[in-house]
Amino acid sequence: MCCQMGTLTFRRKQLSPMLSRSLCSCGDRPIADGSLLDFLLQVSTLAMSLVRLDIRQESDRHADVIDAITKYLGIGSYRDWPEEQRQEWLLSQLRDKRPSFGPDLPKTEKIADVLDTFHVITDSFGAYIISMATAPSDVLVVELLQWECHVKVSLRVVPLFEKLADLEAAPTAVARLFSIDWYKNRINGKQEVIYDWKLKTLGRMRDASLQLGSYIKPNKNL
């Protein structure tokens, strides 16, 4: 069942199971079976408007998925590859548009959870935020998984730098992304970057912020 809410489409069959599984895994089944279902009913009945939700996942979880794929393909462990090799392989997959895995990909519960999330992405969502981002490959991985999981309208991919060392390296990482023609065309020359605003208290982020310029955006919700 789909319910139109202004410019957003709320897909109950897709979102309700995902939210329910998340709540149940945390021991909140009464909420999943009670107030969540009540809320979904109210939304579908009253055609309420909702703000767009961002999706957020840690970079390590994405790396686990790609590591499973490269092992499945028999080309080694993605986690053992240096950053340059990671970028080279990810870009080759993005440019060639060749599916790299099928339904027989061996999956742990965590890997299945990440892929399931990509499979329910619609244009009802806002951005895909990468927690603990450290390198250009973190962004390219999400671009590849969106394509592999047949996301019709790709979300903008936003790296979130949460450690001082990663923030200091962020200008180099963003510059590398902008040097890739495929990616620069994909984002139409605009990249959103988020950093943990608490890093300001460490006193050494000014230079990194200036180098990132207008692309950097503090996240005060962390």
Side-chain angles (χ1 to χ4, degrees), residues 61-131:
R61 296 287 296 276
H62 301 139
D64 286 341
V65 176
I66 301 299
D67 190 66
I69 293 173
T70 57
K71 289 178 178 177
Y72 166 81
L73 295 173
I75 57 176
S77 172
Y78 177 82
R79 283 196 168 278
D80 293 340
W81 294 353
E83 174 64 17
E84 185 175 342
Q85 185 177 357
R86 291 183 177 191
Q87 293 179 33
E88 182 180 354
W89 184 80
L90 292 167
L91 285 169
S92 70
Q93 295 299 115
L94 286 164
R95 288 167 174 154
D96 294 344
K97 298 295 185 182
R98 293 176 299 179
S100 55
F101 68 94
D104 58 338
L105 174 72
K107 305 181 189 74
T108 64
E109 184 176 346
K110 288 185 177 181
I111 289 174
D113 180 65
V114 172
L115 292 175
D116 286 347
T117 299
F118 277 95
H119 282 126
V120 300
I121 289 177
T122 70
D123 58 1
S124 298
F125 291 98
Y128 195 110
I129 299 174
I130 308 169
S131 297

Side-chain angles (χ1 to χ4, degrees), residues 3-222:
C3 178
Q4 188 70 30
M5 305 177 299
T7 59
L8 301 181
T9 299
F10 194 88
R11 291 172 170 80
R12 292 180 63 192
K13 286 187 177 180
Q14 290 180 322
L15 291 182
S16 180
M18 182 174 67
L19 293 173
S20 296
R21 285 199 304 271
S22 178
L23 288 168
C24 290
S25 68
C26 298
D28 291 324
R29 180 175 290 277
I31 296 176
D33 293 340
S35 55
L36 173 62
L37 291 180
D38 290 342
F39 170 73
L40 293 174
L41 180 60
Q42 291 170 5
V43 168
S44 63
T45 302
L46 303 176
M48 297 168 59
S49 295
L50 299 178
V51 297
R52 291 181 184 272
L53 295 176
D54 292 337
I55 295 177
R56 178 169 166 176
Q57 184 59 272
E58 288 191 7
S59 58
D60 273 353
R61 296 287 296 276
H62 301 139
D64 286 341
V65 176
I66 301 299
D67 190 66
I69 293 173
T70 57
K71 289 178 178 177
Y72 166 81
L73 295 173
I75 57 176
S77 172
Y78 177 82
R79 283 196 168 278
D80 293 340
W81 294 353
E83 174 64 17
E84 185 175 342
Q85 185 177 357
R86 291 183 177 191
Q87 293 179 33
E88 182 180 354
W89 184 80
L90 292 167
L91 285 169
S92 70
Q93 295 299 115
L94 286 164
R95 288 167 174 154
D96 294 344
K97 298 295 185 182
R98 293 176 299 179
S100 55
F101 68 94
D104 58 338
L105 174 72
K107 305 181 189 74
T108 64
E109 184 176 346
K110 288 185 177 181
I111 289 174
D113 180 65
V114 172
L115 292 175
D116 286 347
T117 299
F118 277 95
H119 282 126
V120 300
I121 289 177
T122 70
D123 58 1
S124 298
F125 291 98
Y128 195 110
I129 299 174
I130 308 169
S131 297
M132 303 302 291
T134 63
S137 61
D138 294 333
V139 174
L140 298 176
V141 162
V142 175
E143 293 287 1
L144 179 60
L145 290 177
Q146 288 195 89
W147 182 82
E148 291 280 4
C149 295
H150 309 291
V151 176
K152 292 183 178 180
V153 180
S154 296
L155 304 185
R156 67 187 193 278
V157 181
V158 182
L160 167 57
F161 299 101
E162 300 182 73
K163 294 182 179 180
L164 181 60
D166 297 331
L167 177 61
E168 291 176 334
T172 301
V174 173
R176 168 56 183 154
L177 287 171
F178 270 78
S179 73
I180 301 170
D181 290 339
W182 179 91
Y183 186 73
K184 191 173 182 179
N185 291 333
R186 157 77 179 89
I187 62 173
N188 197 27
K190 298 178 181 179
Q191 175 68 54
E192 183 179 351
V193 176
I194 307 177
Y195 67 87
D196 184 344
W197 74 280
K198 293 189 291 293
L199 291 178
K200 290 191 296 186
T201 63
L202 298 177
R204 289 194 293 157
M205 66 165 288
R206 180 175 177 275
D207 290 341
S209 299
L210 290 175
Q211 290 181 61
L212 282 169
S214 61
Y215 300 111
I216 199 162
K217 168 184 171 183
N219 186 341
K220 296 189 177 182
N221 296 320
L222 297 174

